[in-house]
Each structure stands twice: as C-alpha cells, then as structure tokens.
Amino acid sequence: MNREIVIVLIISCLWGGLAGSCVRKKKVENVDCYAPLFAQWEDTLSDNPVFVCEKVDSILPLLKDSITYYQMLTLKAKAKMFISETDSVECLLRLATDFCKKTNVSSKRHWILSAEVANMKGNLYARTTVFDSARMAFRKAYDFCERVDEPYKLLNVALNLADAYSGEGRYDWSSYWYRRALALADSLRMPDEERFPIYYGLAQVNMNLRDFDRCDYYFDLAGKYFAQMKPYEKHIYLNNRGNSYYYRQDYPKALDYFRRLLVFVNQYPDMKFERNMTMVNLGEVFLLMNQTDSATYYLNQCYAYFKEMENTSALYYIDTQLIELALKRGDLPLARKRLQEAVKPDVIDPNMLHIRNRYLQHYFEESGNFRQAYYYLKENNRIDDSTRNERIRMRVASIALRYQRDSTLMKKEMFIQQKENEVLRLNQWLYGGSLVVVLAGMCGFFIFLHRKKKRAKVESNLRTAITSLRLANIRNRISPHFIFNVLNREVKANRVAESDTNLNGLIKLIRRNLELADSLSVTLRDELDFVQTYVELESKTLQPDFVYTVEVDPQINQTNVKIPAMLLQIPIENAIKHGLRTKVGPKRLSIHICQHTDEIEIFIRDNGGGYRIGSGASGTGTGMKVITRTLQLLNAYNRRPIVMHINNVEMASHETGCEVYFRLPVDYSFELKKQKKPFYGTDI
C-alpha cells in the first residue's frame, strides 16, 4: 500500500511540474509534455481505473479542444470500461467521434486517435454482445493503425477482431485473426511471455471447435505466464479454462476454476461485470450438478445487475438457466412462465443457443410435446455439425498455413529493417563498448590486486600453521615413554658388550629426528634409514619371533624420490607400539614400495590384530593427526594429492592385520607457492 502511495505522489508531482510548465509557456499542444503522463496512466488502467479517471479529470481543464484533450477523454473511457460504467463510456466516445469527424486532419496523431476511438467502440459493442458492430469498429481501427505503421496497436486490434469473430461463432475467421496476431508478434520478435493473449485466444477457438487436446495445449502455453498477466487477463484465462471443462462435461473441474475466479475478482471491487458473469457460470455448473439451491443463490445474485445494465445476452443466458431450474424442481407452470417472459436478443451466441435448445428440449419432453422436443434436438445436432464440420477445420488449417508463409516473409522484411537500424546504432555501441572495456579492465585490475593480497595472507597463515605443526612434531615424535624405557634398559645392561651399539643407535635416532624436524620432505632413503634404526632398537622387546622386511621396487631411485617427513616413521611406531608389542606368537612387520607409471605406492603391514577403534592401546592418535594435517596442507598446493588409507587386512597366516597405504604422485611438490587447486581430501 505504501508503494502505491509513493507512485501516486511521484506521478502527481510530475503532472504538476509538466502541466505548470505547459501553462507558463502556453504550449498546451506540446506532445512531449503530456506523453509521459498518458503512458503512466495507461499502464495503471487495469490496476486502478478510478485513479486514472481522477487524474484525467484534473488535467482536462488545462487542455483545449484538441487532439490531446480527446486522447485524454478516450483514456477516461477505457477506465470507465474497467469499472463497467458503459453509459459514461458511450458518452465519452461520442464526443471523441464527433471531433474526429469534424477535424479532417491527416496527421499521425489524428489517425492514432481515430484508431483508439474505433477500438474502444468495438470493445463497447463486444461488452454488450453486439458482435457484428464490434467487428466493423475493430476493422476500422485496424485500417487506421495500418496507415500510421503501429505494429503493437495492430496486434492489439487483431486480437480484438479475433474475439469478435469468436463471439459471432465464426471460428474460421477468429482463427485467422489470432494467427495474424501471432505473425505480428513474430515480426516484432515479441518474447513468449508476452504472447499469452494469443495463446488463450487460440485455446478458446479450439474449445468452441471441441478440439480439447489443442485447447489444452494453448491453455498450458498461456498458463506458464499467469503471474505476469494483468487482472482482466487473468479473468479471461480462468473463465475460458473453466468453460473448456464445462463443454467437455467435467463439471467438478469447471466448478473449481469458476470458484477460483470468483475469489480472484472479489479482490477488485471495480470488476463488477466480471464478478457477475462468474456467478452466472457458477449457477450453470451447480444447475448441471443438480445443486439447485446453490444455482438459485448465484443466479439471484447477478440477475439484478444485468437487468439494470440491460445486457440482453447475459439475461438470455440467465433466463435459460431459470427455465431449467424450474424443470428440475418439477414446477412446469413456472418454467412455462419464465419461457414466455424470457428476453429475445437480436444476436445470440451459438454456445448460448445450444444451451437454450438443450433446456427447451427438456421442457417440451416434460410437457409431453415430443415433436417439439425432437425439433430442438435436431437444431442442436445441426449447430454441432456446423461448428465442427470438416470444412471449417480445413479452412482453419489453410489459413494457418498461409499466414505461416506470410509470417516468414514479414519476419525477413523486419529483419532487413532491423539490420539497417543496427548499422545506424553501431557508432554508439562502439563508444559505449570501449567505455565498458576500460571500466571492466580497471575493475579486473583492482580485483587482481585484492586477490593477490588475500592469497599472500593465506600463504603466510599456512606457513605459520606448518611451522607450528613441525614444532609439535618435534615434541611428539619420540615418545617420552620410549626414550626413558630404552635408556633405563641400556643403563642397566651397560655391562653387556653390545650396549654401546644400542646407545649409539639411540643417539643416532634422536639426532636424526632433530635434523629432519625442520624439513617438510625427506628422501625415501633417509626415511627408510631412520625407520631401520628405530626398528633395530625396538626389536629386542619383540624377540624372539619378530620379522621385519623391506621391499623396494628396483626401478625406484631412493635418493631422488622425496616424501613428507615422518610419513613412514609414525605408522611403523604405531604398528610396534599398539599392535606387535603386546602380541603373543610370531610378529610380522613389512614395508612394500612399488612404482606404477607416475605414482608410487607404499604398503605398511603388521599382524598385530588390526586397527581397533576404542581399544585400550590406541593411544591419543597424535601421530596420525600430524600426518593427516600435514598432507592436507601440502595437498592444497598440488593438482594431484597424496592419498592415504588405513584398512584391516587378512595376512598370509590367516591373521587380521593392519595396512597403512599411501599413493604419491611422482611430480609431487613440497614448495609452498601459488595455490593451484584447493583440496580437502576425503581419502585422508
């Protein structure tokens, strides 16, 4: 609601400024002065016709007896049509028609005004169901629009002509004008979402021809854009779709659409005509469903409205239903009375005539006059034949084919014209394009600088994280429990000759660990040497049944191949500490390394019972967390990641063992440079 108030205030201010300017400069006939207001109010017509009437009334005193004045009168007539004040519409159009007749001017504005007046007269005739007069008025409007080359107005009038022919029951010509409107839409390259009036018009033609498959096809095309329709267009769509189910005798579905339509039009108090026509349709459907109370309610609601406006077509339709209503209640005298008092319009829609004949057949059957009942049965069969005969179907198809060819030619002509216009606009596009390229380049440069700065910050944070991780590795790499146990054992056994060798091995292990702690990567040879020293120190606690094997593919150059530091150390230490130390019987630990094209695979296996989640010997898991985090950081700088798996496997001795598996790309980089592809390895 606040948005509408703001729009009204803006338009009022615009009107005040423009109108004041026109009065001060005494240029009432300046088209540019009132054209924006006219366009604004025309767009507001269907949403708020009362507002348009008020604004037009406020500006008319400022205008002289001129084309602009009568354009405003015609706009007001349109607004009055929306609120069903047909007497006012007729009066306003009479004034505009007299002006057009007495003013013999051949200007474009004069032709446009004449077209608007003729089109509005056609709408007025159509509203009162005088379709032959409506057709003649629309044809005049179409001729006026052709003189001034207004394709959009031609399209609108073509649709009105199609509706008028449909109202007369001349569905071949109705299809002709809908197809012509479609050709105009093609020539204008109108998007599909703006063509729904043509689609639901073609659906109505096929509904009247009882070709319900094609009818539903066009209704479905139009229904895609229901949200974009204006209120009166939504009324047309819902009403005709309900009628399509009425004619195929699917009354519950027809009732659903008419109820939905009534809820919709009740939101718009100005749509009196549409609301009352919807109640007539509801009365008919309830009557056919033998719900006579509901039918009586809706027919009584709308009868007075159409009686007041003397709409003979609607009254004819209501009288037809009232006759059948009396018959369904078994009141034959009342049915006879209503038949005698029923209105007799000059022109009757074929569909309404068909309904009246069906109910008259019922009336004469109840009266015992079967000869007359048979007459109306034959009349309806004749109407059905004339409506759906093959001649009309073939003519519709012929018209569609011919105008398909015409549409192609028209599109070619329009294409040539558009190309000429594109050449004229080329210089403007060149200047505009150059400006856009310069601005885009500047924006791209600043975005590049921003991303570079952001990337440098991310790399700095990653280096800090890796440094912290390496320090944590130094603290956690050699278990204090292991160091003190070994030292204690060697001190107690220092009287044995080989103790010096063990102590030297321990010292080598500690020194080598500290040397490798500052490196992200080590050679495969250094890592295997470190692991060999560690296993030799631990082997005494695992004897006498401990067997340790290392198998390396001969084609692997151990000095050139680099792997992340501690990649083998931590799994070996976990295997001994958590699997083999407490095992009874033979203990097996092996490392198998092989190369496949551009990848190296590493398998570390033990027969210590496999990986057991939640076991008492599982420890804190710090070592494996160190490996996992290290690989995640390094993988962020490589296109192909290092993959790690931990699985339980069946050993050759039929025991359950644990296998730690690594797959390393040969070209893996340990340099923390530009990030190539973020990796959040789910395999780690």
Side-chain angles (χ1 to χ4, degrees):
M1 189 62 185
N2 293 333
R3 181 173 176 272
E4 293 178 358
I5 294 173
V6 171
I7 292 174
V8 171
L9 290 174
I10 291 173
I11 293 176
S12 299
C13 293
L14 178 64
W15 164 77
L18 290 174
S21 173
C22 290
V23 171
R24 286 192 301 271
K25 295 180 180 181
K26 296 182 180 180
K27 291 184 179 180
V28 178
E29 276 302 292
N30 187 351
V31 179
D32 294 333
C33 183
Y34 294 100
L37 288 177
F38 192 87
Q40 286 274 5
W41 295 341
E42 196 165 35
D43 290 340
T44 315
L45 267 176
S46 60
D47 296 324
N48 197 345
V50 175
F51 165 78
V52 174
C53 287
E54 293 173 354
K55 300 312 295 182
V56 170
D57 287 339
S58 65
I59 202 173
L60 283 176
L62 303 175
L63 303 172
K64 297 179 180 179
D65 187 15
S66 61
I67 291 179
T68 304
Y69 178 87
Y70 289 100
Q71 281 180 327
M72 291 295 179
L73 281 187
T74 308
L75 181 63
K76 183 178 178 181
K78 291 182 183 179
K80 291 291 186 181
M81 182 73 80
F82 275 106
I83 56 180
S84 301
E85 295 184 8
T86 53
D87 291 340
S88 299
V89 175
E90 189 175 356
C91 179
L92 292 168
L93 290 179
R94 190 182 301 114
L95 293 173
T97 303
D98 292 342
F99 172 78
C100 292
K101 287 181 178 179
K102 72 180 181 182
T103 309
N104 189 15
V105 181
S106 299
S107 67
K108 181 176 180 179
R109 291 185 65 205
H110 184 269
W111 293 128
I112 291 176
L113 175 61
S114 300
E116 289 285 353
V117 173
N119 189 53
M120 279 303 301
K121 290 175 73 173
N123 285 324
L124 182 60
Y125 286 129
R127 175 64 69 91
T128 54
T129 66
V130 186
F131 292 111
D132 54 345
S133 299
R135 171 172 43 83
M136 294 173 63
F138 289 138
R139 186 67 215 205
K140 285 183 180 179
Y142 193 87
D143 293 339
F144 286 133
C145 290
E146 280 189 318
R147 295 182 186 182
V148 292
D149 191 21
E150 287 283 346
Y152 283 99
K153 292 185 183 296
L154 275 174
L155 174 61
N156 181 48
V157 178
L159 288 173
N160 290 338
L161 263 169
D163 291 337
Y165 276 114
S166 181
E168 288 186 286
R170 299 171 66 180
Y171 304 121
D172 50 348
W173 281 101
S174 179
S175 177
Y176 167 92
W177 284 103
Y178 279 126
R179 295 289 179 181
R180 193 159 190 175
L182 199 57
L184 285 167
D186 289 340
S187 67
L188 293 169
R189 295 187 178 182
M190 183 178 290
D192 208 43
E193 58 267 22
E194 295 179 12
R195 301 187 183 200
F196 55 80
I198 306 175
Y199 293 147
Y200 60 56
L202 286 168
Q204 183 179 2
V205 170
N206 285 280
M207 173 189 73
N208 289 318
L209 292 172
R210 305 302 188 261
D211 186 352
F212 295 116
D213 290 336
R214 295 295 294 172
C215 170
D216 288 338
Y217 169 76
Y218 285 115
F219 270 135
D220 290 340
L221 283 179
K224 294 178 183 179
Y225 311 106
F226 184 80
Q228 288 97 303
M229 294 181 189
K230 294 180 179 179
Y232 72 92
E233 293 168 333
K234 290 180 178 179
H235 166 264
I236 295 172
Y237 174 81
L238 292 173
N239 183 69
N240 286 344
R241 191 125 209 199
N243 284 334
S244 73
Y245 288 104
Y246 165 81
Y247 287 125
R248 69 187 83 178
Q249 298 182 2
D250 187 351
Y251 301 127
K253 204 155 190 177
L255 182 63
D256 180 63
Y257 271 99
F258 289 139
R259 278 176 165 168
R260 180 181 169 190
L261 177 58
L262 186 61
V263 171
F264 171 74
V265 296
N266 281 335
Q267 301 173 19
Y268 298 89
D270 297 328
M271 299 180 73
K272 298 176 184 177
F273 180 85
E274 290 80 3
R275 181 166 52 257
N276 283 278
M277 276 306 302
T278 304
M279 287 192 285
V280 175
N281 290 335
L282 280 168
E284 170 75 1
V285 175
F286 278 121
L287 184 62
L288 292 169
M289 295 175 69
N290 293 318
Q291 298 183 28
T292 54
D293 290 340
S294 297
T296 302
Y297 170 78
Y298 283 109
L299 293 175
N300 290 338
Q301 287 283 317
C302 59
Y303 186 84
Y305 172 80
F306 290 112
K307 185 73 173 176
E308 181 181 354
M309 68 180 301
E310 297 180 355
N311 190 315
T312 56
S313 179
L315 290 174
Y316 178 86
Y317 189 22
I318 296 172
D319 287 340
T320 300
Q321 296 180 47
L322 291 175
I323 294 168
E324 178 67 10
L325 187 61
L327 291 175
K328 283 186 177 292
R329 290 178 171 173
D331 193 344
L332 190 61
L334 179 59
R336 184 181 299 110
K337 178 183 177 184
R338 286 178 171 171
L339 179 59
Q340 293 170 352
E341 295 176 352
V343 297
K344 297 177 178 60
D346 297 329
V347 180
I348 303 174
D349 179 88
N351 288 320
M352 292 188 182
L353 184 60
H354 191 279
I355 296 170
R356 171 66 70 92
N357 288 343
R358 188 173 71 239
Y359 289 160
L360 286 176
Q361 176 189 340
H362 184 200
Y363 167 75
F364 285 110
E365 286 173 355
E366 293 293 327
S367 303
N369 190 346
F370 295 104
R371 180 185 296 274
Q372 197 68 15
Y374 180 67
Y375 166 78
Y376 285 108
L377 175 63
K378 287 197 304 181
E379 278 295 299
N380 269 357
N381 289 336
R382 184 186 60 79
I383 293 173
D384 290 339
D385 290 341
S386 64
T387 301
R388 298 189 296 249
N389 63 33
E390 193 64 26
R391 180 183 60 82
I392 291 181
R393 289 181 179 274
M394 292 299 295
R395 188 173 180 185
V396 170
S398 175
I399 291 170
L401 182 61
R402 185 169 70 251
Y403 274 89
Q404 186 177 3
R405 293 196 300 267
D406 291 347
S407 174
T408 303
L409 293 173
M410 189 179 297
K411 282 191 288 186
K412 288 182 178 179
E413 293 175 359
M414 293 298 295
F415 179 77
I416 294 171
Q417 184 63 41
Q418 287 171 355
K419 287 300 179 182
E420 292 176 355
N421 294 336
E422 288 174 4
V423 171
L424 294 176
R425 293 194 298 267
L426 181 60
N427 289 334
Q428 297 176 357
W429 281 109
L430 287 175
Y431 287 121
S434 301
L435 180 61
V436 169
V437 169
V438 172
L439 292 176
M442 294 176 63
C443 291
F445 177 73
F446 286 117
I447 291 173
F448 170 77
L449 291 180
H450 173 72
R451 288 185 175 178
K452 184 177 180 181
K453 183 178 179 181
K454 186 176 180 180
R455 188 164 51 248
K457 184 177 179 181
V458 171
E459 291 179 356
S460 175
N461 292 338
L462 286 174
R463 288 194 181 93
T464 302
I466 292 174
T467 302
S468 301
L469 184 62
R470 303 314 300 162
L471 293 174
N473 292 342
I474 294 172
R475 291 194 297 270
N476 297 315
R477 173 61 189 92
I478 303 297
S479 169
H481 179 271
F482 162 71
I483 294 174
F484 290 118
N485 280 353
V486 174
L487 287 175
N488 185 54
R489 184 176 66 249
E490 295 305 323
V491 168
K492 289 181 180 179
N494 60 9
R495 61 184 178 276
V496 181
E498 63 176 355
S499 61
D500 291 340
T501 302
N502 291 336
L503 287 173
N504 288 334
L506 178 60
I507 293 170
K508 176 183 176 182
L509 187 68
I510 296 173
R511 181 184 295 111
R512 188 60 180 157
N513 184 74
L514 293 174
E515 289 174 356
L516 298 177
D518 292 330
S519 301
L520 279 175
S521 64
V522 297
T523 66
L524 179 60
R525 181 181 298 280
D526 289 340
E527 185 73 3
L528 289 172
D529 182 60
F530 185 93
V531 169
Q532 182 67 34
T533 304
Y534 170 70
V535 172
E536 288 174 356
L537 288 173
E538 286 285 5
S539 62
K540 291 186 64 176
T541 64
L542 304 173
Q543 294 300 335
D545 298 323
F546 174 65
V547 177
Y548 170 65
T549 59
V550 178
E551 296 180 9
V552 182
D553 194 331
Q555 65 176 330
I556 297 176
N557 189 333
Q558 298 183 28
T559 305
N560 292 338
V561 174
K562 287 194 173 184
I563 63 174
M566 296 177 292
L567 190 71
L568 305 182
Q569 301 170 34
I570 292 176
I572 291 293
E573 181 181 349
N574 283 343
I576 293 174
K577 180 178 178 181
H578 303 308
L580 300 177
R581 192 185 301 281
T582 58
K583 186 180 184 302
V584 177
K587 305 175 182 66
R588 301 288 183 266
L589 178 62
S590 66
I591 300 175
H592 178 69
I593 304 174
C594 58
Q595 182 170 348
H596 299 285
T597 311
D598 57 349
E599 293 181 334
I600 294 175
E601 293 185 319
I602 301 175
F603 300 87
I604 303 172
R605 297 190 183 96
D606 68 81
N607 66 339
Y611 177 71
R612 301 180 297 279
I613 300 175
S615 66
S618 63
T620 62
T622 302
M624 296 310 295
K625 290 179 182 177
V626 168
I627 290 181
T628 301
R629 181 59 178 155
T630 301
L631 293 184
Q632 286 178 336
L633 293 172
L634 290 173
N635 284 343
Y637 291 89
N638 285 271
R639 293 185 183 276
R640 299 171 59 200
I642 295 177
V643 177
M644 180 180 77
H645 294 297
I646 302 176
N647 302 306
N648 287 337
V649 297
E650 184 177 354
M651 307 295 289
S653 59
H654 303 293
E655 296 177 287
T656 300
C658 180
E659 177 185 86
V660 180
Y661 167 80
F662 297 100
R663 186 172 71 243
L664 297 82
V666 172
D667 58 351
Y668 198 79
S669 174
F670 295 91
E671 296 182 6
L672 303 181
K673 291 186 177 180
K674 181 179 179 180
Q675 186 173 357
K676 297 179 180 178
K677 180 181 178 183
F679 178 76
Y680 307 97
T682 56
D683 290 331
I684 294 179

